[in-house]
Amino acid sequence: MRRNDWTKILGWPGYTIFQQEIDEKAKTSKLWVRRKRGNRRLICSGCSARISEPSDTTEREVRDLPWGEFRTTVVIELYRLRCPNCGLRIEKVDQLPCKAPFSKRFEEAVGEACESASARRVAKKFGLAKSTVRAIDLRYLERWNAQRKKPALRDLGVDEIFLGKSVIFVTVASNVESGEPLWFGRERKKETLDEFFRSELSSRQRQRIEAACVDMWEPFKASIQQWSPNCAIVYDKFHIMQHANKGVDEVRRAEFFRNGARMRGLVKGKRWLLLTRWIQLNSDKRQQLNHLFSLNRKVMKAYLPKESLERLWTYTYAGAMLRYLSSWTLQLHWQRLPAFGNLAHMLIDHVDGILNYGRVTVRFGVVEAINGNIKSLLRRGPGYRNLRYLLLKAQRMAVTKTEFVAIRKAA
Ligand SMILES: [Zn+2]
């Protein structure tokens, strides 16, 4: 095979192979490449300035895509440039986006593989360490993120995710229209969300936000009112039902868990049963739930208002919602369920934002879906403890619509 053909197969624009080596036993090949004669555009890798004359040459070795069964290494002849801005620097080469020993298209192949498989599986396929795969994937996502057009932010979502152990809470700001997370911040204070408004948005972008979907959490509300005073705050069903579910769970724990091993055994694994909506249960599950209720009336008493609260969002007019909410609160009066008493107070205090559901058109359920996606990533491995990686990965998932987890109630 002629050298020209080797160059064609390699397919690096502007580069030609001048030497090659094949080890048939080890199934490896090594190719030495340099610029084609006409290719003389020299760019500084530090500042992208155009430089007319090279200073000297050097070499770099990177792993490239395999040729059939042969693992392929490319040795590139590189120019060093004397840049007026940066001093002595290596030239910029399209196939070498970073200092790691891989070509750009090799990194892209690894990044694409990571979109549908775990880092462990990709590592095995490419013969790399897991940590290397994650580092490549992160660079792949950063490059994708740097060149994409980002949609305008009109409806903001703010949520928190519990990570546990070292970082307890992460605040998630998201674009509800495009369904992607925009930013993660440590903790869930007013200052956390302030940081998002200050560092991520221009004053023009802040003014353009029309609605914010948030939990009934005062620090977030205070931050939104300070930075984007004209935006309507909406408390969505997802967050309110989370509080109601927490109420049911509290009663479940108090009634069963603190009452000995036998009672604990009865309720084991039944948590999701209580937190799932009745209409979503099949007859077998309904029977299990009824059995649980026959053992403990108090759990049933907590379950009923949780179920009936859902009906609030079947009303589309603010007036009708308010009437329903008042009657729901009145019924609670006789139940002696402190968790729900507190929830009722909370709902009354935030009634304006709850009724905004009937006034503002925002895609509901999106905050919940984003939340679910992030949690599913976190379950996949410790690599996602890197918040930057987690964010880019979740953004990529939202944009490519891959692996969007089904929206589950009662998380
Ligand atoms: Zn430079």
Side-chain angles (χ1 to χ4, degrees):
M1 194 159 69
R2 289 176 318 165
R3 200 148 281 169
N4 214 356
D5 296 330
W6 285 85
T7 296
K8 270 184 206 152
I9 296 173
L10 178 73
W12 278 29
Y15 281 80
T16 180
I17 294 175
F18 66 93
Q19 192 186 325
Q20 74 268 7
E21 200 180 271
I22 281 187
D23 184 336
E24 276 191 75
K25 237 171 137 188
K27 293 268 187 261
T28 59
S29 69
K30 202 164 180 175
L31 309 164
W32 281 261
V33 307
R34 63 164 62 117
R35 282 168 174 268
K36 283 182 178 163
R37 213 170 302 152
N39 179 13
R40 292 203 38 93
R41 220 176 115 90
L42 299 171
I43 308 276
C44 168
S45 62
C47 66
S48 297
R50 199 151 168 196
I51 312 289
S52 53
E53 283 302 317
S55 167
D56 59 359
T57 60
T58 178
E59 254 185 15
R60 248 188 78 191
E61 208 176 295
V62 295
R63 187 166 160 195
D64 197 27
L65 296 178
W67 286 29
E69 296 181 290
F70 288 75
R71 177 190 278 216
T72 303
T73 307
V74 179
V75 185
I76 311 122
E77 185 183 281
L78 288 169
Y79 287 112
R80 288 206 298 176
L81 316 170
R82 201 164 291 284
C83 171
N85 310 319
C86 316
L88 199 60
R89 278 274 183 158
I90 294 281
E91 63 164 327
K92 185 173 169 181
V93 175
D94 191 44
Q95 274 301 328
L96 306 177
C98 65
K99 291 199 169 98
F102 308 106
S103 68
K104 186 181 175 190
R105 64 184 189 187
F106 179 80
E107 293 212 336
E108 264 157 26
V110 173
E112 275 160 30
C114 285
E115 285 186 14
S116 53
S118 68
R120 191 178 53 82
R121 269 177 54 197
V122 176
K124 206 171 157 201
K125 183 180 165 197
F126 286 87
L128 297 163
K130 260 193 300 187
S131 57
T132 309
V133 167
R134 284 194 211 104
I136 291 175
D137 194 23
L138 177 57
R139 289 195 292 271
Y140 164 78
L141 293 168
E142 290 282 12
R143 285 196 289 272
W144 162 73
N145 189 51
Q147 51 81 39
R148 77 185 173 115
K149 198 170 173 284
K150 291 172 187 91
L153 176 61
R154 211 173 54 189
D155 296 338
L156 170 71
V158 182
D159 198 3
E160 62 199 33
I161 286 194
F162 182 73
L163 290 189
K165 286 193 184 151
S166 53
V167 187
I168 310 280
F169 281 103
V170 166
T171 296
V172 180
S174 51
N175 183 331
V176 174
E177 269 182 298
S178 70
E180 62 170 312
L182 299 172
W183 181 84
F184 290 161
R186 276 164 207 275
E187 297 185 83
R188 49 169 181 168
K189 299 176 185 160
K190 175 175 178 293
E191 292 77 22
T192 315
L193 195 55
D194 287 347
E195 181 62 25
F196 166 73
F197 281 112
R198 187 172 28 235
S199 67
E200 298 292 305
L201 304 177
S202 65
S203 68
R204 221 178 118 121
Q205 284 173 310
R206 294 195 286 260
Q207 276 163 28
R208 283 200 176 159
I209 302 174
E210 290 172 9
C213 244
V214 290
D215 191 6
M216 295 172 290
W217 178 247
E218 288 312 306
F220 289 162
K221 182 181 166 191
S223 179
I224 292 164
Q225 284 177 335
Q226 180 189 332
W227 292 92
S228 190
N230 296 324
C231 124
I233 291 180
V234 188
Y235 299 117
D236 72 348
K237 179 177 164 182
F238 165 58
H239 283 121
I240 294 168
M241 289 312 295
Q242 264 185 339
H243 289 283
N245 280 325
K246 228 184 277 169
V248 176
D249 207 33
E250 251 171 56
V251 174
R252 175 190 72 109
R253 252 183 271 172
E255 292 300 304
F256 287 93
F257 274 64
R258 288 163 208 157
N259 281 315
R262 202 186 67 88
M263 284 300 255
R264 264 204 299 281
L266 283 171
V267 80
K268 216 168 172 203
K270 303 259 163 66
R271 179 174 178 268
W272 74 271
L273 208 57
L274 280 164
L275 304 190
T276 306
R277 293 187 61 192
W278 181 259
I279 54 161
Q280 286 167 343
L281 298 174
N282 62 27
S283 62
D284 179 44
K285 300 286 180 222
R286 284 180 183 179
Q287 221 171 348
Q288 286 184 32
L289 206 51
N290 276 327
H291 177 63
L292 200 68
F293 293 154
S294 70
L295 294 171
N296 190 295
R297 297 274 305 162
K298 203 143 188 198
V299 169
M300 186 176 81
K301 267 163 67 180
Y303 181 82
L304 294 177
K306 185 269 285 185
E307 280 291 300
S308 61
L309 186 58
E310 288 261 1
R311 283 237 298 283
L312 180 59
W313 291 276
T314 59
Y315 298 99
T316 43
Y317 292 99
M321 286 182 89
L322 186 58
R323 269 196 301 281
Y324 185 77
L325 193 58
S326 327
S327 72
W328 183 82
T329 311
L330 271 176
Q331 279 164 23
L332 277 178
H333 250 294
W334 315 101
Q335 304 291 342
R336 266 181 283 156
L337 294 162
F340 279 88
N342 293 341
L343 177 59
H345 280 297
M346 197 190 233
L347 296 180
I348 299 294
D349 284 347
H350 295 83
V351 75
D352 230 30
I354 296 170
L355 300 187
N356 271 344
Y357 172 86
R359 299 179 186 130
V360 185
T361 47
V362 182
R363 286 175 64 201
F364 287 96
V366 176
V367 172
E368 185 182 4
I370 293 170
N371 191 320
N373 263 347
I374 295 168
K375 281 184 183 157
S376 82
L377 281 171
L378 284 168
R379 271 194 298 272
R380 270 201 244 158
Y384 296 111
R385 292 285 148 133
N386 173 344
L387 287 186
R388 178 70 188 160
Y389 186 34
L390 182 65
L391 176 64
L392 285 166
K393 199 79 186 167
Q395 287 179 333
R396 178 78 188 162
M397 272 169 78
V399 171
T400 57
K401 305 269 186 292
T402 47
E403 302 171 86
F404 242 92
V405 294
I407 297 173
R408 266 191 307 174
K409 300 283 172 231

